[in-house]
Amino acid sequence: MNLKIKYYLELIRVKNCLTASFGTIIGGLIASNFNFGLIGYILLASLIVFLVCGFGNALNDIQDIEIDKINKPNRPLPSNKISLKSATIFSYLLMISGIIISLFNMICFAIALINSIVLYLYAKKYKRNKIIGNLIVAYLTGSIFIFGGASVGNVEITLILFLCALFATWSREIIKDYEDLDGDKSEGVISLPIKYGKNSIFVAIGFLLCSILLSPLPYILGMFGAPYLMAIMICNVLFILAVLKLLKNPSKEIAGSSSKYIKIIMNLVLLSFVIGSLM
Amino acid sequence: MNLKIKYYLELIRVKNCLTASFGTIIGGLIASNFNFGLIGYILLASLIVFLVCGFGNALNDIQDIEIDKINKPNRPLPSNKISLKSATIFSYLLMISGIIISLFNMICFAIALINSIVLYLYAKKYKRNKIIGNLIVAYLTGSIFIFGGASVGNVEITLILFLCALFATWSREIIKDYEDLDGDKSEGVISLPIKYGKNSIFVAIGFLLCSILLSPLPYILGMFGAPYLMAIMICNVLFILAVLKLLKNPSKEIAGSSSKYIKIIMNLVLLSFVIGSLM
């Protein structure tokens, strides 16, 4: 029995779900100025994110069962550790329970419902068309923060965090696609770099500039003070350095290191929001 | 009987629905390079947009029935030309028929479903909280174009149009709120300018800059040629002039003229996309 649980945790990619839940908690804490009196709502929101995220991940494995028989034969589904029927029922149970719990808050309910639809579309269709898939991943990543903010009744600051995260993630996904160009091509996947070559780097840069452009808004609106502005400006300088490096030498290797570098800076951006909320 | 139809057309704000449908047709034509062989799908998509838009508008009147008894007593609901029950049934019939028709295309179905949820949220809650309401209006405006693109199986170019329209509309809505500051205050509505004063102008400018920044992408990606680039650059110069004028003198009067001016430029941006698609 314990082994079965392990397989189900593997199916939903529990680490990935926990990361998303953690993002929701951070979003909720930022939006409530670290008012731990509201932690109950925030934890409820992070549970919903865990469930809906688990639904999406399980659905992806269900969709990929045939490909995984060759590529990842040890995953719970192709190795028959979990039957396809059980996995399907389980994944929809996760989604339904997530949506039911979200009824405590209208925005959370709407986002849980919309994200479930989007995750379904992603698994069924857009994982193999990364041009749209990238936007979906970016939207889902950003929405985690709004979800936390909504649970404590303050979406404003998380709305800016949502936009910054959306554009930075979108940018990073395109740069990752540039790195994975050959692999994607051989698998028949469509991506921006496959279709538009090196010019897709400019799209990634455009999105990153949008993220940079919107990042001072919490300071301009007086939500956060000078410590935030200083922290976020350091992040923006680092972003620009990453972009310049990639522009100078748009090779797959640099794309790979840039994408890792951007991921680190994105975590620093999140830290800047925490600093802004605390100081 | 004919009179009844007139009242129902008034309830759904038929002109507004037709404008949205027209946007879908333009989006579809741009995405199909004016391939009139696909006009059937495009017209179907524009019908769905008409129905879902009508649902949203009717729902707004249903929600506002008490306020309209004082402010707009001649509207179909407060004047009892249509009963509340009939209006409610009618509006949900519009939504359901729109969603059912959209089943011909998975993306159209997802967008119709998501937009119905968003329109419901808007009518019930966010019309009076314009900070979120502005984003909803901006998203809905932009989504019209993707809807047209999706109906002909090419969302890529309309995705850029979606982002440009979203940010330009969001910017314009904030500037409009700045103009309507006193009226909104007296009605107890929340808006960015009410909460953050003149600094909200910087948010509007930030969003407009995002729109400007993303606008050359169709040229950079080789979707459109030099005529598009020239047309869109003229639009961007006009946008910047509008912003500079507002920055120089951020008064309510200038906000009013800027918002009208931005609306005209937004139509020129749409025209630039048409030029790009045709030339």
Side-chain angles (χ1 to χ4, degrees):
Chain A
M1 189 57 197
N2 265 335
L3 214 58
K4 272 278 174 206
I5 292 179
K6 185 180 155 256
Y7 297 145
Y8 277 99
L9 293 179
E10 223 177 290
L11 177 73
I12 65 169
R13 295 173 194 266
V14 66
K15 273 186 200 166
N16 175 275
C17 295
L18 286 174
T19 308
S21 291
F22 180 71
T24 307
I25 294 175
I26 294 287
L29 288 174
I30 289 170
S32 64
N33 283 101
F34 284 78
N35 172 357
F36 284 94
L38 295 168
I39 195 77
Y41 293 109
I42 297 174
L43 289 177
L44 206 58
S46 78
L47 171 65
I48 299 163
V49 167
F50 184 94
L51 294 169
V52 174
C53 184
F55 155 72
N57 289 340
L59 202 64
N60 273 315
D61 264 30
I62 291 167
Q63 198 62 23
D64 284 351
I65 185 163
E66 290 307 320
I67 303 170
D68 284 351
K69 277 180 188 164
I70 300 152
N71 290 343
K72 297 168 190 163
N74 289 325
R75 294 282 307 156
L77 284 180
S79 61
N80 257 320
K81 287 167 192 157
I82 301 174
S83 75
L84 184 59
K85 197 182 156 191
S86 306
T88 308
I89 295 172
F90 180 67
S91 71
Y92 284 98
L93 273 181
L94 290 179
M95 179 195 74
I96 291 166
S97 46
I99 290 177
I100 289 174
I101 299 172
S102 75
L103 281 166
F104 81 97
N105 177 306
M106 203 154 85
I107 309 182
C108 287
F109 173 67
I111 297 178
L113 199 59
I114 290 172
N115 286 13
S116 299
I117 298 171
V118 168
L119 280 165
Y120 178 87
L121 273 182
Y122 182 75
K124 293 281 170 189
K125 195 164 177 183
Y126 291 106
K127 211 168 23 174
R128 299 185 63 75
N129 178 349
K130 290 188 172 180
I131 299 179
I132 311 295
N134 291 346
L135 167 60
I136 292 182
V137 170
Y139 160 75
L140 290 169
T141 305
S143 73
I144 286 168
F145 302 112
I146 298 199
F147 206 83
S151 73
V152 297
N154 176 22
V155 289
E156 284 170 38
I157 182 69
T158 48
L159 195 58
I160 302 174
L161 186 51
F162 161 75
L163 289 172
C164 290
L166 187 155
F167 280 113
T169 307
W170 202 350
S171 175
R172 180 167 175 262
E173 291 293 316
I174 294 170
I175 294 171
K176 267 167 63 188
D177 290 349
Y178 191 75
E179 188 193 0
D180 300 339
L181 207 136
D182 295 329
D184 282 347
K185 239 182 203 164
S186 68
E187 286 181 24
V189 168
I190 303 168
S191 77
L192 215 57
I194 286 176
K195 207 158 166 188
Y196 301 105
K198 277 189 184 169
N199 286 340
S200 55
I201 296 287
F202 291 107
V203 182
I205 292 173
F207 289 157
L208 202 56
L209 288 178
C210 285
S211 182
I212 291 174
L213 200 64
L214 300 173
S215 67
L217 290 183
Y219 176 77
I220 291 172
L221 293 176
M223 295 165 166
F224 292 164
Y228 169 77
L229 189 66
M230 278 175 60
I232 200 75
M233 282 307 157
I234 293 171
C235 295
N236 287 343
V237 169
L238 293 174
F239 270 141
I240 290 169
L241 289 177
V243 161
L244 288 178
K245 198 177 158 199
L246 189 60
L247 263 182
K248 212 172 141 193
N249 179 9
S251 68
K252 265 166 233 173
E253 293 68 35
I254 301 289
S257 68
S258 289
S259 118
K260 284 192 197 88
Y261 187 54
I262 289 173
K263 190 178 181 177
I264 296 170
I265 308 172
M266 281 165 67
N267 283 309
L268 294 178
V269 168
L270 194 55
L271 186 65
S272 306
F273 275 79
V274 171
I275 289 172
S277 172
L278 281 172
M279 288 188 180
Chain B
M1 188 57 196
N2 265 334
L3 214 58
K4 272 278 175 207
I5 292 179
K6 185 180 155 256
Y7 297 145
Y8 277 99
L9 293 179
E10 223 176 290
L11 177 73
I12 64 169
R13 296 174 194 265
V14 67
K15 273 186 200 167
N16 176 274
C17 296
L18 286 175
T19 307
S21 292
F22 180 71
T24 308
I25 294 175
I26 294 288
L29 288 174
I30 289 170
S32 64
N33 283 100
F34 284 79
N35 173 356
F36 284 94
L38 295 169
I39 195 77
Y41 293 109
I42 297 174
L43 289 177
L44 207 57
S46 79
L47 171 65
I48 299 163
V49 167
F50 184 94
L51 294 169
V52 175
C53 185
F55 155 72
N57 289 340
L59 202 63
N60 273 315
D61 264 30
I62 291 167
Q63 198 62 22
D64 284 351
I65 185 164
E66 290 306 320
I67 303 170
D68 283 351
K69 277 181 187 163
I70 299 152
N71 290 343
K72 297 168 190 164
N74 289 325
R75 294 282 308 155
L77 284 180
S79 61
N80 257 319
K81 287 167 191 157
I82 301 175
S83 75
L84 184 59
K85 197 182 156 192
S86 306
T88 308
I89 295 172
F90 180 66
S91 71
Y92 284 98
L93 274 181
L94 289 180
M95 180 195 74
I96 291 166
S97 46
I99 290 176
I100 289 174
I101 299 172
S102 75
L103 281 165
F104 81 97
N105 177 305
M106 203 153 84
I107 310 183
C108 287
F109 173 67
I111 297 178
L113 199 58
I114 290 172
N115 286 13
S116 299
I117 298 172
V118 167
L119 281 165
Y120 178 87
L121 273 182
Y122 182 76
K124 293 281 170 187
K125 196 164 176 183
Y126 291 107
K127 211 168 25 173
R128 299 185 63 75
N129 178 348
K130 290 188 172 180
I131 298 179
I132 311 295
N134 291 346
L135 167 60
I136 293 182
V137 170
Y139 160 75
L140 290 169
T141 305
S143 73
I144 286 168
F145 301 111
I146 298 198
F147 206 83
S151 73
V152 297
N154 176 22
V155 288
E156 284 170 38
I157 182 68
T158 48
L159 195 58
I160 302 174
L161 186 51
F162 161 74
L163 289 172
C164 290
L166 187 155
F167 279 114
T169 307
W170 202 350
S171 174
R172 181 168 175 261
E173 291 293 315
I174 294 170
I175 294 171
K176 267 167 64 189
D177 290 350
Y178 192 75
E179 189 194 0
D180 299 339
L181 207 136
D182 294 329
D184 282 347
K185 238 182 204 165
S186 68
E187 286 181 24
V189 168
I190 303 168
S191 77
L192 216 57
I194 286 176
K195 207 158 166 188
Y196 301 105
K198 277 188 184 170
N199 286 339
S200 55
I201 296 288
F202 291 106
V203 182
I205 292 173
F207 289 158
L208 202 55
L209 288 178
C210 285
S211 182
I212 291 174
L213 201 63
L214 300 173
S215 66
L217 290 183
Y219 175 77
I220 290 172
L221 293 176
M223 295 165 166
F224 291 164
Y228 169 77
L229 189 66
M230 278 175 60
I232 201 75
M233 281 308 157
I234 293 170
C235 295
N236 287 343
V237 169
L238 294 174
F239 270 141
I240 290 168
L241 289 177
V243 162
L244 288 178
K245 198 177 158 200
L246 189 60
L247 263 182
K248 213 172 140 193
N249 179 10
S251 68
K252 265 166 233 172
E253 292 68 34
I254 301 290
S257 68
S258 289
S259 118
K260 283 193 198 88
Y261 187 53
I262 289 173
K263 189 178 181 178
I264 296 169
I265 308 172
M266 282 166 67
N267 283 309
L268 293 178
V269 168
L270 194 55
L271 186 64
S272 306
F273 274 80
V274 170
I275 289 172
S277 172
L278 281 172
M279 289 189 181

